[in-house]
Amino acid sequence: MDSALPSSEPRYSVVGSNVSLTPRQRTLIGLAEELGPRFAERAERYDREASFPFENYAELRAAGLLGLCVPEKFGGMGADLKTYSLVSATLGKYCGATALTFNMHACSTLWPGVLADDLEMTPEQRAEHERYRAVHFERVVRQGAVYAQPFSEGSAAAAGKAPFGTTAAKVDGGWLINGKKIFASLAGAADYYGVLCTEDKPERTMRDTLYMAVPGNSSGLEITGDWDPLGMRGTVSRTLLFNDVFVPDDAQMMPRGVYFQAASRWPHMFTTLSPTYMGIAIAAYAFTVRYLRGEVSGMPPVKRRMYPTKQIAVAEMHVKLEQTRALFLRMLDDARVDPSKDARLRAYATQFTVMENANDLCRLAIRTCGGQSMLKNLPLERLYRDSRCGALMLPWTAELCLDRIGREALYEPGEADD
Ligand SMILES: Cc1cc2nc3c(=O)[nH]c(=O)nc-3n(C[C@H](O)[C@H](O)[C@H](O)COP(=O)(O)OP(=O)(O)OC[C@H]3O[C@@H](n4cnc5c(N)ncnc54)[C@H](O)[C@@H]3O)c2cc1C
C-alpha cells in the first residue's frame, strides 16, 4: 500500500464506518495503523529478497503486540478472535508477509489462551494446562519470543482428514519428536515451533494429536529446502525435519486430546488466515482509487478517473470489497465455541469469499490501472502475487470450503444415504 495513505479514510479501514468497536479494539487498530506505513516501506525488500521481516517483528515486540492474544492474567493484551482479526487485517493492508506470519505467532497464543478457556477439561487437565501455558506466555510476554505454527506435511493431515505423520513418543521427562513439516512459515526466524503431531502409540487417530512447542535451537531439528515462491515471499516457509528431537513435558501447548476438541468445537480457529487477505483486498482497492486520481506518491500526478470504463471497474471493485468486508465482519461476531450450523457454514463461506475476492480485486486493480501500475516500484504486483496464496492454505483452502459447505448443507452429522 502507498504508505502515505490516509488511515482516517473509513473506506480504507478494516471496519469501514459505523461499526461499533470497544475502546480496546479502537486503540489496537490504531496501533497497527501507526506501525503500518513503515511495514509498507520495507515490504518491497522482503519480497525481493524472500527474507523474513525481522525489523517489523522488532517493532511488533516493542509495541507489545507479540502478547496481543496472551490473556491479561498472564501479562498480555487478552485479545479475542475478533480483536485479533481486526488488528491482523490492518497489518495486512501494509505487509502481507508480516500479517501472515504474525497469524502463526498470534494463534500460538490465542488457541492455548482464550480459546482453550472455552473447552472442557478435567480439573487435572485444567491445572496441567495452566502450568504449561504459563511457561509459553512468559516467554512471549517477558522474553519477546516468537512462535511459528507448522502443521502441513503434504498428506491429508493438514486438511483435517488424517492423523499427523509427525510423532511424539513419551520418554522419561518429556517427548521425542520425529517427522517432517513443509511450508513452515518463520523457518529460521521463530524461537519456538508449535508443532502438531500424533502421540506415538498403536492405532493412532486424530484424537491423539499433540501440540508441542519445539525450541528453534533443538538438537535434531533441521531446516532444509530453498524458498523462492510466487508470493508471500517474506514468510520464509521452508521445510523442518525432526530427528529424535527431545522436548520436556512442559513443551505441551495443550493437554492430550484438547487440540482435537478445539478443532471440532471451535471451527473459527481456522478462519484466522483470512484477515491477512482482507487487508490485501482493501490495499488493492485503495491503491486503485488513488492511482486513478493521480495521488500515488512517486508517480506523475496523471489522472485517469474520467474514463467511464475506469469508473465502472472501480464500482465493481467497490461492490466486491463491501460484500467481502460485510461477510468478514459478520463472521467475526459468530466466533465462539459450539457455533450453530448456520454460523459454521458462514465461516466456510467467509474464508472462501475473502481468499477468492482478495485475488480477484488485485486482478481487477491491475487490469484497471494498467501497465505502469504493475511495475516493481509499486506495490500492486506484489499484492497480486501475495493474494494468490490465500486460497491454497490448509485446512480451509477455497476448494475444501466448498467441499465442506456442500456436504454439511446437505447432510446432518452421522446421516448417510440409504
Ligand atoms: C505462503 C504460505 C505460507 C504457509 N505457511 C504455513 C505455515 O506456517 N504452517 C503450515 O502448517 N502450513 C503453511 N502453509 C501450507 C498451506 O497451509 C498448505 O498446507 C499448503 O499450501 C498445501 O500444499 P500442498 O501442495 O501440499 O497441498 P495438497 O495437500 O497437495 O493439496 C492440494 C489441494 O488439494 C485439496 N485437498 C487437499 N487435501 C484434500 C482432501 N483430503 N480432500 C479434498 N481436497 C483436498 C486442497 O484444496 C489443496 O489446496 C503455507 C502455504 C503458503 C502458500
Side-chain angles (χ1 to χ4, degrees), residues 15-274:
V15 290
S17 53
N18 298 324
V19 167
S20 76
L21 295 172
T22 64
R24 169 64 69 92
Q25 287 168 339
R26 213 172 282 284
T27 305
L28 289 170
I29 292 171
L31 190 54
E33 287 287 1
E34 254 175 69
L35 299 176
R38 287 192 298 283
F39 289 13
E41 274 163 30
R42 298 179 189 126
E44 184 275 333
R45 174 164 54 87
Y46 299 136
D47 175 65
R48 180 167 32 84
E49 296 174 347
S51 62
F52 187 76
F54 284 108
E55 293 97 329
N56 295 353
Y57 270 76
E59 292 207 32
L60 289 167
R61 187 177 289 113
L65 282 170
L66 292 184
L68 177 66
C69 301
V70 172
E72 283 175 294
K73 69 174 177 175
F74 292 99
M77 292 175 168
D80 60 7
L81 188 139
K82 178 176 179 177
T83 306
Y84 157 71
S85 300
L86 298 176
V87 172
S88 170
T90 304
L91 296 175
K93 293 195 296 179
Y94 298 99
C95 178
T98 300
L100 195 62
T101 51
F102 182 64
N103 169 76
M104 315 312 178
H105 169 80
C107 285
S108 307
T109 54
L110 183 73
W111 295 0
V114 290
L115 198 143
D117 290 344
D118 285 342
L119 301 175
E120 270 164 34
M121 296 188 213
T122 63
E124 294 74 29
Q125 276 182 317
R126 187 70 69 190
E128 184 190 355
H129 186 52
E130 287 298 303
R131 220 169 43 247
Y132 293 162
R133 71 179 180 170
V135 172
H136 303 295
F137 293 155
E138 213 292 310
R139 288 175 185 153
V140 172
V141 173
R142 309 264 168 258
Q143 299 162 32
V146 173
Y147 276 60
Q149 204 175 45
F151 51 91
S152 296
E153 297 185 340
S155 69
K161 314 256 177 174
F164 288 98
T166 302
T167 57
K170 190 74 192 84
V171 292
D172 206 18
W175 302 84
L176 270 190
I177 300 185
N178 280 286
K180 173 181 172 181
K181 294 289 176 184
I182 62 170
F183 280 106
S185 290
L186 302 104
D191 300 293
Y192 295 89
Y193 297 94
V195 175
L196 287 174
C197 49
T198 309
E199 182 164 357
D200 192 1
K201 59 187 223 186
E203 293 171 22
R204 302 191 277 257
T205 73
M206 283 160 45
R207 289 179 188 277
D208 302 313
T209 304
L210 293 170
Y211 187 18
M212 299 285 195
V214 179
N217 58 4
S218 298
S219 146
L221 169 59
E222 192 189 338
I223 300 172
T224 63
D226 61 358
W227 177 247
D228 189 12
L230 170 81
M232 289 295 182
R233 293 167 59 79
T235 61
V236 191
S237 307
R238 296 174 66 201
T239 298
L240 305 182
L241 299 178
F242 301 88
N243 188 8
D244 279 342
V245 175
F246 174 81
V247 292
D249 282 323
D250 65 10
Q252 281 192 80
M253 297 178 70
M254 286 179 172
R256 279 183 168 109
V258 174
Y259 174 81
F260 179 78
Q261 192 193 146
S264 321
R265 297 184 57 205
W266 237 108
H268 291 80
M269 70 190 275
F270 298 123
T271 64
T272 59
L273 296 163
S274 65

Side-chain angles (χ1 to χ4, degrees), residues 333-373:
D333 283 332
D334 289 331
R336 70 197 53 169
V337 70
D338 299 329
S340 64
K341 174 172 175 168
D342 169 61
R344 183 187 279 266
L345 291 173
R346 188 160 40 250
Y348 304 142
T350 305
Q351 178 95 347
F352 176 89
T353 303
V354 173
M355 298 313 199
E356 294 289 81
N357 285 6
N359 189 230
D360 208 37
L361 279 159
C362 291
R363 176 188 67 80
L364 284 166
I366 289 189
R367 192 189 72 184
T368 306
C369 295
Q372 289 184 56
S373 74

